[in-house]
Structures are given as C-alpha cells and as structure tokens.
Amino acid sequence: METQEDCFFRAAVAEAERGLAEGGIPIGAVLVHAGEIIGRGHNRRVQDGSVIHHAEMNCLENAGRLPPSVYRQATLYTTLSPCPMCSGAVVLYGIPRVVVGENRTYRGAEAYLASQGVAVAILDDPSCIRMMERFIREHPELWREDIGEE
Amino acid sequence: METQEDCFFRAAVAEAERGLAEGGIPIGAVLVHAGEIIGRGHNRRVQDGSVIHHAEMNCLENAGRLPPSVYRQATLYTTLSPCPMCSGAVVLYGIPRVVVGENRTYRGAEAYLASQGVAVAILDDPSCIRMMERFIREHPELWREDIGEE
C-alpha cells in the first residue's frame, strides 16, 4: 500500500523525470504543507541557463511567496541530497524536515542541516540512484558544473 | 583615493539603491573576477514575487553559467551579511571571499562561511546601515518574510 509520503516522494521523482525529458539534470523536488503539494520543481541549469534553479530552489520559487509560518510546518521532498545552497534555503525559511531520495551519488550539506535542527530522512531509493548514476556517467562535466566542482 | 575594492563595493550599493527605487528590498551584490565585475544583482522579492532572488542569488544568476574555476577566483560583494541560502551558494560554488557592507541590521550565516574556509570582510558601512534600518522600520513584515522570520 502506498503511503502519503510515498505519493509525495513519487511526485518529486516525476519532476526529476520531467527535467530529464527536457534534456536537463534529473533532480526534482516538491514542497508539502498540510497534506498538500504546494510547490513542484526541477533543476533548470540546462533549460534556462540557471545557476540557482536547483530542483529545491525551483520548487521553492514555484511555491511563491508564503507566510513564514507555512514553511515552518512544511516538508521538502527531493530526489537527491541537497547541496549547500539548497540546504541554506531550507535553513533560511525554517523548513523542519527534508525527505531525500538518495545520497550515494552526491552527499550535500546534511551535516549543516542537522546542526541547524533540520530532520533529514534518506530513502536510499534505487530508481533515483540509477537515474543519477547514468546521468553523471553520460554528462560528467555538466554534473561537475552543477555542484561547483572543477 | 578610492581603491578598486571601494569601487566594487559602491557598485553593490548602487544595486541596492536600484532595488529601493523599484520599490524593493534594498540589498545589492556584485561578483568580481580578475578585476572586473562579471555579475550584478539586487533583491527581487517585491519586483518578481521571488523567494530565491536575494541580492547575492540574483547576482550569481545574472553572471550566468561559469566554469567552476572562475568562482574559485572570484569575490562576492554584498551590502548585507549573507543569509544561509546565499552563504550556501557561496559554499557550493567555492567562492573564497565575501565582502559585506554591514552585519548590524542582520547577521547571516557568517559562522557557516568561516567553517567552510570562506574569508568574510565586514566593512561596517554607515550608508548601508542607514538604508536597511530605514527599510526595516518602514516595512517590518516584508523584511521578516525575506529572512523567514515569523
């Protein structure tokens, strides 16, 4: 039986797949508040030439301007361990919980999130791992650019 | 005599003033590489309804996609102490140095930056302090929204 959490996570995966279909980096995210998805997004580096629209950032931007109290009762679902920028956005807005598809292909700022009291759940999802492994193998330079590695 | 650093910092202040003139939150930033400004930006919350276009983020976005090596030799000038999101972007891209107008009206993630080896210089600039003090006094709710405070 699929739980509500599974359903939200699958929506983040669907965003990653949408990004991949557009020729982009396959990372997706959704923001959930009071049992509803209030924002969806995926990495837009290739599509928009953006250096700030990582999946989580694009999701927050698409959710729009929200009262600070909403973020503080929200959960962010993302297919990949959030980088320092996206983790910083979580800390800025006081999002208390992040559900992460996997952290095997990239390990973001999980220690920083934990130090700021953010709960991080790692799903270790095989389909997310496969999707990123393949993308990184096929586009190593693009991937390094996205995570700022030389 | 005005130094090159003064000149870059004044360009960040000019961005903040541009944002204020547009009815926005008066925070500006510029990215400098090899003695040239390669990106400029200011907070776009009011103008674009954006929750991710803080001044530093808008500046990085306007600078466009850059080789990782460029960030690693760049300096980010900003009128205000960078929040966790903007600090995270600095860490993600490996920008080694941030010059900050002031940190009296808001203290961002300076400790996180320092822990990641980023050099932070605080100018304690009176004009930046006055501009932010006035803005916060006149728009307290907008300001709280921008820094995620209830």
Side-chain angles (χ1 to χ4, degrees):
Chain A
M1 200 188 79
E2 186 167 82
T3 65
Q4 201 181 37
E5 285 251 323
D6 290 336
C7 176
F8 296 144
F9 177 64
R10 288 296 142 203
V13 173
E15 282 293 319
E17 290 167 344
R18 190 170 305 168
L20 188 64
E22 293 167 355
I25 302 174
I27 306 170
V30 301
L31 186 66
V32 171
H33 177 260
E36 282 185 25
I37 294 175
I38 59 171
R40 299 169 193 260
H42 53 268
N43 188 299
R44 308 283 307 166
R45 178 172 297 268
V46 173
Q47 298 92 320
D48 298 339
S50 175
V51 306
I52 67 172
H53 279 269
H54 274 187
E56 301 89 329
M57 306 294 289
N58 184 240
C59 170
L60 292 173
E61 187 74 328
N62 290 341
R65 287 174 61 181
L66 300 169
S69 59
V70 171
Y71 294 111
R72 287 168 193 256
Q73 297 173 323
T75 298
L76 183 66
Y77 290 76
T78 175
T79 56
L80 184 65
S81 180
C83 84
M85 172 175 70
C86 299
S87 298
V90 166
V91 170
L92 170 66
Y93 289 117
I95 297 170
R97 183 161 177 263
V98 182
V99 177
V100 173
E102 60 105 356
N103 65 359
R104 295 199 188 206
T105 62
Y106 174 73
R107 188 76 177 265
E110 293 168 23
Y112 177 58
L113 285 172
S115 78
Q116 300 299 304
V118 179
V120 179
I122 311 288
L123 301 182
D124 208 26
D125 181 79
S127 69
C128 286
I129 296 169
R130 274 195 303 271
M131 188 162 51
M132 279 308 295
E133 280 180 343
R134 178 171 178 176
F135 184 84
I136 293 168
R137 192 168 59 239
E138 293 179 351
H139 306 278
E141 289 195 13
L142 184 53
W143 175 238
R144 281 199 297 274
E145 181 191 318
D146 201 54
I147 55 173
E149 281 188 4
E150 285 184 290
Chain B
M1 201 187 82
E2 187 168 84
T3 66
Q4 200 181 38
E5 285 251 323
D6 291 335
C7 177
F8 296 144
F9 177 64
R10 287 299 141 203
V13 173
E15 282 293 321
E17 290 167 344
R18 190 170 305 167
L20 188 64
E22 294 168 355
I25 302 173
I27 306 169
V30 301
L31 186 67
V32 172
H33 177 259
E36 281 186 27
I37 294 175
I38 60 171
R40 300 169 192 259
H42 53 267
N43 188 299
R44 307 284 307 165
R45 178 172 297 269
V46 173
Q47 297 92 319
D48 298 339
S50 175
V51 306
I52 67 171
H53 279 269
H54 274 189
E56 300 90 331
M57 306 294 289
N58 184 239
C59 170
L60 292 173
E61 187 75 328
N62 290 340
R65 288 174 60 181
L66 299 170
S69 59
V70 171
Y71 294 111
R72 288 168 192 255
Q73 298 174 323
T75 298
L76 183 67
Y77 291 76
T78 175
T79 57
L80 185 64
S81 180
C83 84
M85 173 175 69
C86 299
S87 297
V90 166
V91 171
L92 170 65
Y93 289 117
I95 297 170
R97 184 161 176 265
V98 182
V99 177
V100 173
E102 60 106 356
N103 65 0
R104 294 199 189 205
T105 63
Y106 174 73
R107 187 77 177 265
E110 293 168 23
Y112 176 57
L113 286 171
S115 77
Q116 300 299 304
V118 179
V120 179
I122 311 287
L123 301 182
D124 208 25
D125 181 78
S127 69
C128 286
I129 296 169
R130 275 195 304 271
M131 188 161 53
M132 280 308 294
E133 280 180 344
R134 179 171 177 176
F135 184 83
I136 293 168
R137 194 169 58 238
E138 293 179 351
H139 306 279
E141 288 194 13
L142 184 53
W143 175 238
R144 281 199 297 273
E145 181 191 317
D146 201 53
I147 55 174
E149 281 189 5
E150 285 184 290

